[in-house]
Amino acid sequence: MRLLYSIGIFLYGLLLRILAPFHAKARLMVTGRKDWYLRMKQSVDSSQKHIWFHFASLGEFEQGRPVLEAVKNNYVDHKIIVTFYSPSGYEIRKNTNLADHVFYLPYDTAQNARLFLDLINPSFAVFTKYEYWYYYFEGLHSRSIPLFLVSAIFRPEQIFFQAYGAFFLRILVFVTYFFVQNEESVRLLKEYGIRNAGLAGDTRFDRVIDLPKGRKEIPLVADFVGTAPVLVAGSTWPEDENLLKELIQRFPEYKLILAPHEINEAHIVNILNLWPAALRFSKMTEYDTVTLTEAKVLIIDNIGLLSSLYGYGQVAYIGGGFGVGIHNTLEAATYGMPVLFGPNFKKFQEAKDLIEQGAGFSFAESKGLMDVFERLQDQSKRVEAAKSARQYVQQKAGATPIIMKYLKNANL
């Protein structure tokens, strides 16, 4: 199976190189890893002490950020190495002041893992939620370098727990300790003989709980909002945007702040086809006061504002529920907002919790969305849902101190 795994990694890298001339993301993944060893060797001092953090993408970076910040503050004699698998993480956070060095993670081969670990020789490594790479994990284990998984979550349908998943289950054995999100994950790992796991919770709560305090005021957005009720739609896809067009037509008193998941020009043009009179955030300074106040839809065509924009809304819509899965619900919930999302939320514990708390609402089609939104026009119901959302975030925070206490007690 290890041979098949290695062949799969090779073929995947080959496919990316074939696609690179035609696909922007593939091109970034290829060029970002080109001559990685030489670039790392020139910039990393192997004689220094390092701590390695790996994140699959931007979402995992934000999720693990509280631990990264705490480690940086508590291990001042170490240099922080951050790696990303995806361009959406690396390209946005490559200049973060939380790390001394930021790189793409080289493909998971035996040689790459050996060279990479030779260069940084970390005191310990921290992975967030996802990404289980055989050769990197095995390399850390063989060198007796502690490896921690934070905000991990496991489900019976994952490949580790299938009859054909013995190879992938073996990867988990290389982990020193799992800080998991829920009791179900602890029990599932124990069923398969993995007992080095404990309930810590999800570090995303530690990240989002203080977002309202540090929220950026955006005067031009405030001018757009005025006194109207606002629906903030975050990380939307075309299926979401079609539903939102129907919703705004049904509830014309609302204004819509729309932050699509993909902000390439083709997607923005498609959104403008739905709302020809919509404003673009990148052109806000070009609109006069009358245009700003009379417009109904504002398209956020840049990255990094969504967590502040939720502060302008009364209701939040989270995209992705008609695709691979919903995006971040907690950034909206922390502001005390009812959170709406499509049917594909089962893999997300926080979404299930929000529904149970009466703060989250799922729907499978247009009528379901209309019905939910209609119910939330009752102010008492909307206020109660908003209160539950904020309380849920506050109650769930605290994973980072648990993790840091473990590291301290382990003398790391």
Side-chain angles (χ1 to χ4, degrees):
M1 179 58 79
R2 186 169 63 176
L3 177 60
L4 291 177
Y5 176 85
S6 298
I7 292 172
I9 295 292
F10 171 78
L11 292 176
Y12 181 71
L14 178 62
L15 178 62
L16 288 176
R17 290 194 293 275
I18 293 172
L19 293 175
F22 317 102
H23 192 281
K25 186 174 181 179
R27 184 161 55 251
L28 287 170
M29 293 182 74
V30 171
T31 57
R33 291 174 168 86
K34 186 177 181 181
D35 297 326
W36 70 266
Y37 180 74
L38 291 176
R39 288 188 283 116
M40 280 191 67
K41 191 172 183 180
Q42 290 170 356
S43 59
V44 175
D45 183 351
S46 297
S47 67
Q48 294 180 319
K49 294 191 290 186
H50 298 103
I51 297 171
W52 174 28
F53 278 82
H54 175 71
F55 306 101
S57 190
L58 180 61
E60 287 72 32
F61 176 86
E62 295 302 328
Q63 184 170 26
R65 183 171 180 158
V67 179
L68 174 59
E69 291 174 339
V71 167
K72 183 175 177 63
N73 290 335
N74 283 273
Y75 294 82
V76 294
D77 59 337
H78 284 67
K79 299 293 185 181
I80 304 295
I81 306 286
V82 165
T83 58
F84 288 100
Y85 181 77
S86 168
S88 63
Y90 176 83
E91 298 300 329
I92 295 171
R93 293 289 180 252
K94 60 186 175 183
N95 296 316
T96 178
N97 59 9
L98 294 176
D100 296 284
H101 305 283
V102 182
F103 304 103
Y104 278 98
L105 182 69
Y107 299 123
D108 186 32
T109 68
Q111 182 182 39
N112 284 351
R114 176 176 56 80
L115 292 173
F116 180 86
L117 294 175
D118 282 346
L119 280 174
I120 69 170
N121 189 31
S123 297
F124 60 89
V126 181
F127 279 48
T128 298
K129 191 176 181 179
Y130 294 130
E131 303 253 316
Y132 300 88
W133 299 113
Y134 177 83
Y135 289 108
Y136 285 106
F137 280 32
E138 190 275 335
L140 290 166
H141 181 74
S142 67
R143 297 166 188 241
S144 299
I145 297 171
L147 166 62
F148 303 103
L149 262 292
V150 302
S151 297
I153 190 165
F154 294 96
R155 297 176 298 276
E157 63 270 19
Q158 288 174 307
I159 192 171
F160 313 108
F161 312 116
Q162 306 307 309
Y164 52 84
F167 171 79
F168 297 96
L169 182 63
R170 192 159 68 249
I171 297 177
L172 302 186
V173 176
F174 297 138
V175 177
T176 304
Y177 200 83
F178 296 89
F179 298 96
V180 301
Q181 293 187 29
N182 55 26
E183 289 285 4
E184 291 81 359
S185 295
V186 176
R187 289 196 294 267
L188 183 58
L189 289 173
K190 284 183 178 179
E191 287 179 21
Y192 287 84
I194 298 173
R195 301 186 178 278
N196 52 325
L199 177 63
D202 189 342
T203 53
R204 278 182 302 172
F205 291 94
D206 302 329
R207 171 65 179 146
V208 304
I209 192 169
D210 291 326
L211 284 179
K213 297 178 184 177
R215 171 177 169 250
K216 292 184 289 186
E217 293 289 342
I218 310 171
L220 289 173
V221 174
D223 291 341
F224 162 78
V225 169
T227 59
V230 176
L231 170 64
V232 181
S235 301
T236 61
W237 294 83
E239 297 90 337
D240 303 302
E241 290 143 12
N242 289 328
L243 288 175
L244 287 166
K245 181 178 182 180
E246 296 181 42
L247 184 67
I248 296 302
Q249 288 175 336
R250 170 103 174 253
F251 297 89
E253 69 274 19
Y254 271 80
K255 290 198 172 189
L256 172 65
I257 297 177
L258 180 72
H261 184 68
E262 297 284 352
I263 59 170
N264 59 73
E265 189 63 19
H267 190 188
I268 299 300
V269 169
N270 288 337
I271 296 172
L272 287 169
N273 288 334
L274 293 174
W275 290 285
L279 308 183
R280 294 180 64 158
F281 181 82
S282 61
K283 298 182 178 181
M284 289 288 275
T285 57
E286 301 176 16
Y287 304 124
D288 57 37
T289 302
V290 174
T291 302
L292 282 174
T293 57
E294 292 185 352
K296 288 292 185 181
V297 179
L298 173 61
I299 303 169
I300 308 301
D301 53 356
N302 69 352
I303 292 173
L305 290 178
L306 184 56
S307 62
S308 292
L309 291 169
Y310 283 123
Y312 292 101
Q314 281 71 49
V315 182
Y317 180 111
I318 308 302
F322 293 90
V324 296
I326 61 171
H327 294 283
N328 191 339
T329 57
L330 297 181
E331 287 187 350
T334 194
Y335 280 95
M337 303 173 71
V339 183
L340 283 57
F341 42 83
N344 195 352
F345 65 88
K346 303 298 191 301
K347 294 181 180 179
F348 302 89
Q349 183 66 41
E350 66 278 8
K352 294 187 287 186
D353 290 344
L354 286 168
I355 291 174
E356 184 178 332
Q357 297 292 323
F361 304 87
S362 182
F363 51 87
E365 76 297 303
S366 177
K367 183 179 183 304
L369 173 59
M370 301 299 169
D371 290 346
V372 166
F373 208 78
E374 182 69 53
R375 293 200 302 274
L376 290 173
Q377 299 318 295
D378 183 325
Q379 185 175 0
S380 63
K381 292 180 180 178
R382 188 170 68 247
V383 169
E384 185 61 30
K387 180 180 177 182
S388 296
R390 179 62 178 158
Q391 287 179 341
Y392 170 69
V393 173
Q394 292 174 331
Q395 292 166 358
K396 290 289 186 177
T400 301
I402 293 173
I403 295 167
M404 295 307 297
K405 182 178 180 180
Y406 180 100
L407 296 181
K408 181 179 179 181
N409 289 341
N411 294 317
L412 293 174

